């Protein structure tokens, strides 16, 4: 209640100071911007097929197809990002001017577990794409502990590490355009989902770019979940830790004894 | 079908590669009585397993391999339980002390330097001495079995010091009479080193038993496996309970390979002479030392690494 009264009071005060035609012009400008934005948003669409991946015992990664539209005359950048996570790393440095070894521990907080960017070779050459939509677009949201002056360098090294793991990718070969109709350009991307992409929710975003300006955006969700045996093992390991540890030891001992018996029966060990 | 998903490691692996890795390390375990942690963990990391999961799951598979190996060596009469238990008690005390040492060093900020230097000195010294000593034995041309060759040639100051210690006990299986304090003290020292280096300690314990406790090589292998079995049972349960890093599927695949490998290794070990066994283990230890040194001297491609592992 108090809030409403205050707001009304504020509006009345503002109205009495600023001329009415200026307020109307401002409202009109906002409406135009919103309409343009809305129009662009409607012109961009994206769909992931399948949008739900199930990990069973013999899963070795899979592939999905991302399809959609962007306004004619624009280019596509599709970005897949995972939830922010905390990663503990070791910094390497030279000790005594001779030996390379770990010289300190660092923690990255709120860093996406997965970061995949799909675009055309021409767009990838664009100077500020990395800051706009690439790895460096999330750099400011990432916290490094302890605070390090070389944040940018460490972040770059981290992306190299993740690229080696196959979960940070800048792909310029998979985007295909399937023609333009009714002012809409259709795109299609074959996306490889590596087995290292852990169960979770991923955001699949499509950006339409005209030159270096983002003119439209759409997004969808990709879900990866465990089923069957991996789901059972994971539930046991994270829900019944002690039981899981004892079971792991008992199975190992029994397997060792059984193998020992089999070899004895075959006249091996003795 | 050739791949299997590891829910804790969060990656998939080729079943045949993991079975092969398990078989290879199990073979070494059966021949030399080492757990193989110092080899297996780096290999698993190479195949995309996170370091912490690689180390913990490896402990789990060593439980299986050392059960199989201990059983085979027990049948051959190669396990000295009395000695093994004393070393184990020492190892537990040393391990607990070592963890505290590491905590203090980490707080002081030079733990990694000490770990690396300890690794290189231990591997280099251990492997170098074993290699030189076995080579001398082989050069004599008689290729005497480990039991005879390990008998003291002359009464050294070390042997006199051993004889002067209290609580002298007969270790029938090993054929030695030494103080009960010795395996306890050496077990503690190895435990401290193992905790600092983050390994089971098999490759340090074996030379300690051969050279300092003067045990015959074949009994050393069986006794070492017996001790490793208990150490790894403890580590597996602790890691599963506290850190959720034991991947049972990975461990199961590894141990199918390693239990078979351990049996084959035991058979090979039976056919090899003491000096041949020692020189092979020395080569292996020196190889790991060289790899470690290269890692310390070569400029890394990436200046950060995932924390954890050995």
């Amino acid at each position: 209640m108090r809030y409403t009264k205050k707001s009304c009071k504020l509006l009345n005060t503002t109205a009495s100071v600023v001329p009415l035609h200026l307020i109307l012009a401002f409202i009109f400008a906002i409406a135009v911007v919103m309409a343009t934005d809305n129009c662009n948003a409607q012109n961009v669409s994206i769909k992931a097929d399948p949008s739900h991946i199930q990990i069973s015992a013999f899963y070795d990664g899979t592939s999905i197809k991302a399809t959609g539209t962007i306004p004619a005359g624009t280019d596509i950048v599709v970005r897949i990002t995972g939830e922010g996570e905390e990663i503990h790393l070791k910094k390497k440095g030279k000790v005594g001017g001779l030996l390379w070894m770990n010289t300190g521990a660092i923690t990255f907080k709120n860093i996406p577990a997965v970061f995949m960017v799909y675009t055309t070779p021409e767009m990838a050459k664009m100077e500020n794409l990395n800051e706009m939509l690439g790895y460096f677009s999330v750099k400011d949201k990432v916290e490094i502990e302890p605070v390090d002056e070389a944040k940018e360098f460490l972040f770059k090294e981290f992306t190299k590490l993740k690229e080696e793991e196959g979960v940070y990718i800048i792909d310029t070969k998979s985007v295909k355009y399937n023609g333009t109709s009714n002012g809409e350009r259709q795109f299609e991307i074959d996306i490889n989902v590596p087995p290292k992409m852990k169960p979770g929710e991923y955001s699949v975003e499509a950006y339409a770019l005209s030159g270096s300006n983002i003119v439209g955006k759409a997004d969808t969700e990709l879900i990866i979940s465990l089923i069957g045996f991996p789901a059972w093992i994971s539930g046991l390991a994270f829900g019944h830790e002690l039981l899981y540890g004892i079971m792991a030891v008992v199975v190992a001992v029994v397997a060792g004894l059984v193998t020992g018996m089999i070899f004895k029966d075959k006249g091996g060990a003795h | 079908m050739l791949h299997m998903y590891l829910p804790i490691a969060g990656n998939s692996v080729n079943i045949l590669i993991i079975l092969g890795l398990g078989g290879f390390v199990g073979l070494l375990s059966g021949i030399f009585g080492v757990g193989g942690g110092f080899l297996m963990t780096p290999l698993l990391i190479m195949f995309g397993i996170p370091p912490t999961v690689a180390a913990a799951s490896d402990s789990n598979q060593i439980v299986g391999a050392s059960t199989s190996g201990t059983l085979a060596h027990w049948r051959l009469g190669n396990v000295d339980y009395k000695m093994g238990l004393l070393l184990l008690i020492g190892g537990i005390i040393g391990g607990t002390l070592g963890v505290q040492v590491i905590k203090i060093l980490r707080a002081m900020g030079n733990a990694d330097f000490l770990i690396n230097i300890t690794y290189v000195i231990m591997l280099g010294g251990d492997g170098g001495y074993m290699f030189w000593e076995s080579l001398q034995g082989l050069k004599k041309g008689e290729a005497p079995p480990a039991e005879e060759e390990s008998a003291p040639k002359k009464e050294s100051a070390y042997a006199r010091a051993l004889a002067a210690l209290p609580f002298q006990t007969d270790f029938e299986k090993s054929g030695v009479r030494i103080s009960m304090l010795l395996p306890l003290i050496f077990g503690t020292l190895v435990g401290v080193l193992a905790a600092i280096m983050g390994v089971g300690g098999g490759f340090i314990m074996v030379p300690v038993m051969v050279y300092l406790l003067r045990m015959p090589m074949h009994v050393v292998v069986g006794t070492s496996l017996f001790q490793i079995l208990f150490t790894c049972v403890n580590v597996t349960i602790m890691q599963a309970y506290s850190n959720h890093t034991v991947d049972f599927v990975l461990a199961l695949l590894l141990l199918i390979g390693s239990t078979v490998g351990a049996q084959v290794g035991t058979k090979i070990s039976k056919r090899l002479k003491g000096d041949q066994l020692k020189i092979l283990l020395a080569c292996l230890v020196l190889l790991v030392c060289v790899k470690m040194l290269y890692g310390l001297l070569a400029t890394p491609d990436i200046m950060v690494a995932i924390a954890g592992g050995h």
Side-chain angles (χ1 to χ4, degrees):
Chain A
M1 277 298 271
R2 240 200 291 170
Y3 247 106
T4 322
K5 273 181 186 172
K6 246 186 177 177
S7 308
C8 289
K9 213 175 172 182
L10 191 72
L11 193 69
N12 288 337
T13 322
T14 316
S16 60
V17 176
V18 184
L20 189 63
H21 68 273
L22 273 182
I23 295 173
L24 287 174
F26 180 67
I27 291 170
F28 177 73
I30 287 177
V32 168
V33 169
M34 281 178 71
T36 318
D37 205 34
N38 219 10
C39 174
N40 283 328
Q42 278 169 4
N43 284 341
V44 181
S45 70
I46 186 157
K47 199 180 96 182
D49 185 29
S51 59
H52 188 181
I53 297 167
Q54 292 181 321
I55 297 179
S56 58
F58 299 106
Y59 175 79
D60 183 33
T62 185
S63 62
I64 61 166
K65 200 180 272 284
T67 51
T69 56
I70 48 174
T74 61
D75 265 306
I76 182 76
V77 175
V78 166
R79 199 165 81 156
I80 302 178
T81 49
E83 286 161 12
E85 60 176 12
E86 194 173 297
I87 295 180
H88 303 281
L89 298 164
K90 285 186 170 181
K91 238 186 342 181
K92 289 183 183 177
K94 227 173 191 181
V95 176
L98 182 73
L99 303 175
W100 285 98
M101 52 181 75
N102 298 322
T103 52
I106 39 169
T107 302
F108 276 71
K109 286 183 174 175
N110 198 28
I111 191 140
V114 168
F115 204 117
M116 297 168 158
V117 178
Y118 294 82
T119 189
T120 59
E122 295 74 34
M123 289 301 292
K125 283 178 199 153
M126 205 171 80
E127 215 170 272
N128 60 344
L129 187 75
N130 198 15
E131 282 75 22
M132 216 160 64
L133 294 169
Y135 304 151
F136 272 62
S137 62
V138 292
K139 194 191 74 192
D140 292 338
K141 288 180 197 160
V142 174
E143 289 171 45
I144 297 184
E145 270 182 14
V147 176
D148 201 304
E149 285 171 8
K151 182 178 177 180
E152 195 160 317
F153 172 75
L154 291 172
F155 183 79
K156 211 171 174 181
E157 292 302 297
F158 172 80
T159 60
K160 277 196 219 167
L161 191 75
K162 286 283 167 183
E163 275 184 342
E164 226 177 42
E165 284 182 14
V167 286
Y168 271 46
I169 297 168
I170 306 280
D171 182 301
T172 56
K173 290 176 186 159
S174 307
V175 171
K176 272 186 250 162
Y177 288 119
N178 294 333
T180 306
S181 62
N182 301 326
E184 287 180 343
R185 194 176 195 190
Q186 287 165 356
F187 68 87
E188 181 185 311
I189 310 167
D190 285 316
I191 294 168
N192 178 42
V193 178
K196 270 219 158 184
M197 265 176 84
K198 289 180 183 169
E201 287 172 12
Y202 296 87
S203 164
V204 185
E205 300 157 323
Y207 293 90
L209 274 91
S210 174
S212 60
N213 297 319
I214 299 172
V215 294
K217 186 200 162 189
D219 59 64
T220 183
E221 204 177 44
L222 173 68
I223 295 168
I224 303 182
S225 59
L226 293 172
I227 56 159
F229 185 64
W232 180 72
I233 286 286
S234 181
L236 206 58
F238 289 96
H240 306 88
E241 296 90 343
L242 188 61
L243 181 71
Y244 176 76
I246 293 169
M247 181 200 78
V249 163
V250 169
V251 172
V253 169
V254 170
L257 289 174
V258 168
T259 324
M261 306 273 209
I262 294 169
F263 270 74
K264 191 197 174 192
D265 291 345
K266 286 182 180 172
H270 213 299
Chain B
M1 271 298 280
L2 271 178
H3 284 83
M4 191 129 197
Y5 186 77
L6 309 175
I8 310 300
N11 201 359
S12 79
V13 285
N14 185 306
I15 296 173
L16 294 179
I17 287 177
I18 300 300
L19 285 177
L21 271 185
F24 171 66
V25 177
L27 195 76
L28 298 180
S29 169
I31 298 175
F32 305 118
V34 293
F38 70 108
L39 276 176
M40 180 70 97
T41 307
L43 288 172
L44 288 175
I45 295 169
M46 243 172 68
F47 285 98
I49 309 296
T52 46
V53 177
S57 309
D58 187 30
S59 289
N60 191 184
Q61 79 83 22
I62 293 171
V63 170
S66 53
T67 301
S68 166
T70 305
L71 184 68
H73 280 280
W74 169 71
R75 288 199 195 113
L76 295 168
N78 286 344
V79 183
D80 188 334
Y81 294 105
K82 203 198 278 181
M83 186 74 86
L85 275 175
L86 287 169
L87 287 167
L88 184 66
I89 294 168
I92 292 168
I93 297 169
T96 316
L97 279 174
V99 170
Q100 298 309 314
V101 171
I102 276 289
K103 266 189 192 167
I104 296 167
L105 287 169
R106 282 209 196 286
M108 285 162 68
N110 47 10
D112 286 309
F113 181 75
L114 186 93
I115 291 169
N116 283 302
I117 294 300
T118 311
Y119 235 114
V120 171
I121 291 173
M122 285 310 297
L123 289 171
D126 200 47
Y129 181 74
M130 221 176 355
F131 186 85
W132 178 81
E133 201 263 356
S134 323
L135 202 66
Q136 296 304 312
L138 287 174
K139 266 187 183 169
K140 283 178 187 164
E142 300 159 20
E147 285 84 349
E148 289 166 30
E149 161 268 337
S150 64
K153 288 146 199 135
K154 57 178 179 184
E155 192 80 347
S156 62
Y158 176 70
R160 281 198 301 274
L162 288 195
L165 285 170
F167 307 113
Q168 293 286 326
T169 316
D170 275 318
F171 292 90
E172 293 87 7
K173 285 270 176 186
S174 303
V176 291
R177 183 178 167 76
I178 49 168
S179 165
M180 278 173 73
L181 293 176
L182 267 180
L184 272 176
I185 294 168
F186 286 131
T188 307
L189 288 177
V190 174
V192 171
L193 284 175
I196 289 175
M197 294 159 74
V199 292
F203 74 100
I204 314 173
M205 190 61 97
V206 169
V208 162
M209 286 196 231
V210 174
Y211 297 113
L212 299 177
L213 299 176
R214 308 253 162 111
M215 290 165 66
M217 187 65 188
H218 291 98
V219 181
V220 165
V221 175
T223 310
S224 170
L225 285 174
F226 168 74
Q227 188 227 342
I228 285 167
L229 166 62
F230 288 95
T231 311
C232 288
V233 164
N234 180 42
V235 171
T236 305
I237 295 178
M238 290 311 290
Q239 291 281 22
Y241 186 71
S242 320
N243 301 328
H244 309 107
T245 44
V246 175
D247 195 306
F248 177 65
V249 181
L250 174 64
L252 201 65
L253 285 174
L254 285 172
L255 80 88
I256 290 170
S258 67
T259 46
V260 176
Q263 291 290 332
V264 178
T266 308
K267 278 207 254 175
I268 295 172
S269 134
K270 208 175 142 191
R271 285 181 193 164
L272 289 171
K273 301 262 183 326
D275 277 328
Q276 291 170 325
L277 274 177
K278 279 190 271 179
I279 210 160
L280 283 174
L281 180 59
C283 288
L284 194 71
V285 170
L286 285 174
L287 205 72
V288 178
C289 178
V290 170
K291 193 206 158 258
M292 183 103 195
L293 257 179
Y294 176 76
L296 288 172
L297 293 169
T299 309
D301 294 334
I302 303 173
M303 293 297 171
V304 291
I306 300 282
H310 290 339

